[in-house]
Amino acid sequence: MSTTLLPFRTHHLSLSLNPQFRKRSYIASLPPPPPLLTSTPPKLLQRNVVLARAEDKARGGDGNSSSFHQQQPQPKPNSDKQFQDLTSSGACDPLYSVDETSSLEYEDTNQPKTDLLKAVAIFGAAVTGTVAINHSWVAAHQDLAMALLFGIGYAGIIFEESLGFNKSGVGLLMAVSLWVIRSIGAPSTDIAVAELTHALAEVSEIVFFLLGAMTIVEIVDAHQGFKLVTDNITTRKPRSLLWVVGFVTFFLSSVLDNLTSTIVMVSLLRKLVPPSEYRKLLGAVVVIAANAGGAWTPIGDVTTTMLWIHGQISTLPTMTGLFVPSVVSLAVPLALMSFSSEVDGKGQNTDDVLASEQMAPRGQLVFAVGIGALVFVPIFKSLTGLPPYLGMLFGLGVLWILTDAIHYGESERRRLKVPQALSRIDTQGALFFLGILLSVSSLEAAGLLREIANYLDAHIPSSELIASAIGVVSAIIDNVPLVAAAMGMYDLTSYPQDSQFWQLVAFCAGTGGSMLVIGSAAGVALMGMEKIDFFWYLRKASGFAFAGYAAGIAAYLASQHLHFSPTTIANIPFISGS
């Protein structure tokens, strides 16, 4: 999945582990000092607070401020030595430490977002809303109003970090505003409501599918089920580890989403490899492999899932047609990286493996059922002909009942059950997809996407170039709206199911995001977990990713020219009709 989403757990973890953030929070919660200590020098008062907290904790107290008021410790001659011993030995919990200098440094280095950009964004939204109220102008210039509003909203999504606005909220606001304009410009409100109902029926299938898949993956992860995969990586040779990590991530991402695959594999790298340029390069390999692995299966990436649910691609032709190009798009970067200086094997010590968490009880069973539920979704669609999200919800229901049964009466293991998993999944990500897809569907209903398609057909007659351009742009702009726009621009009468165009769109949108670290959810997760910046990735990995992207397109076109098709697999009864 090549969306620019940053997971909740990474963001909140980075805040909770930031000692300066915790010191500042504690300072804000401290009660005012008692009158007897008001004349105490600030530094001595800080040491007294630390000593009181540590002593109270050593006695079994809760470390709250009430014990400090009840028993006021007097400064002792050896208080300096005790203070140094406590802070240096780690006996003093940093959560209770007070460091005024660090707090001031935090405030100096973490200034709030500039108000100018926010003011411009809010002003633009207000102007657009004011124009939308003018019914006569909107009715006469519907296309211009919708294009202007979509541009402002999408700019807010792209510059989310600079403006300080959450892109999920911006996406939802943009979607509702666009449909309001559509209702004003439509021949009647009833027509706009019918269009919205049809669009919501299609969009909700994707949202329910994603919610079910994310919950299943979260349950497996809570049971440490992925240890069955990661614990089997035993090689420590730098070049061998490069290839093993790449292809394990590749096949893992074909079943899971690329964001989860990246989190699992980067966590593994932290146990295998010490901090170094080599580990960063392995992280880049994980991003490239996760995006390549998600491109050749209908459930491996959100964009291929969108195309699959809406009927542009089907299971078997997609897997057979895109498997070789996806492998090539990974193998070429791996081959080139093998000759880089970071993988020459010198000075790499990967023999020490850190201890990892133990697998939860019945973790192997949960892993098998969870992965089986994901793999069963295409089979369910082929057997019943019903939408894929029903198969995903069926698998979630089976896993829900299973975890309730195996953990019955175990109150201390509530986090291993589905209700707790639902509170941990990326709900804001699902709402972001909802907002984007509803926004694009409003443009489709108004006919804007068809006009763009006609323009591209007139000036770029090659469908291969159009699909390739979608992949390049997806390295900068989120691939979900790009693919949604392509689906609105070209219907199945222009390009039938499993045509070369739709398969190329699936491949390019999935793998193109690897060319920049901000081009996919996997890349954004790597930035947060390994502190990799944009320009490091641009220097060290973007060239390799582009080479793989171009080689994968060439491999696909060559395979289509040779009419390669594994007909033996096509005769499998439950897949051939998918």
Side-chain angles (χ1 to χ4, degrees), residues 254-290:
S254 65
V255 179
L256 310 177
D257 64 280
N258 59 357
L259 178 60
T260 301
S261 303
T262 301
I263 294 173
V264 170
M265 295 306 296
V266 172
S267 300
L268 169 70
L269 293 180
R270 290 178 171 180
K271 300 177 177 66
L272 295 179
V273 184
S276 60
E277 286 291 302
Y278 174 61
R279 193 169 86 176
K280 289 183 178 181
L281 196 65
L282 286 176
V285 168
V286 168
V287 172
I288 296 173

Side-chain angles (χ1 to χ4, degrees), residues 403-418:
T403 52
D404 282 348
I406 63 179
H407 297 303
Y408 177 76
E410 300 175 349
S411 58
E412 71 278 4
R413 292 176 180 154
R414 292 178 180 176
R415 66 179 186 85
L416 302 178
K417 296 183 179 181
V418 174

Side-chain angles (χ1 to χ4, degrees), residues 18-25 102-103 105-106 109-110:
N18 188 332
Q20 295 180 353
F21 176 82
R22 295 191 293 183
K23 291 171 185 175
R24 186 187 182 198
S25 301
S102 298
S103 301
E105 290 176 356
Y106 175 84
T109 57
N110 292 270

Side-chain angles (χ1 to χ4, degrees), residues 308 315 372 374-385 574-575:
W308 179 50
T315 305
L374 296 174
V375 175
F376 179 71
V377 173
I379 302 175
F380 176 87
K381 181 179 183 297
S382 301
L383 292 176
T384 64
F574 66 83
I575 289 184

Side-chain angles (χ1 to χ4, degrees), residues 508-519:
C508 294
T511 58
S514 301
M515 288 185 282
L516 294 177
V517 72
I518 61 172

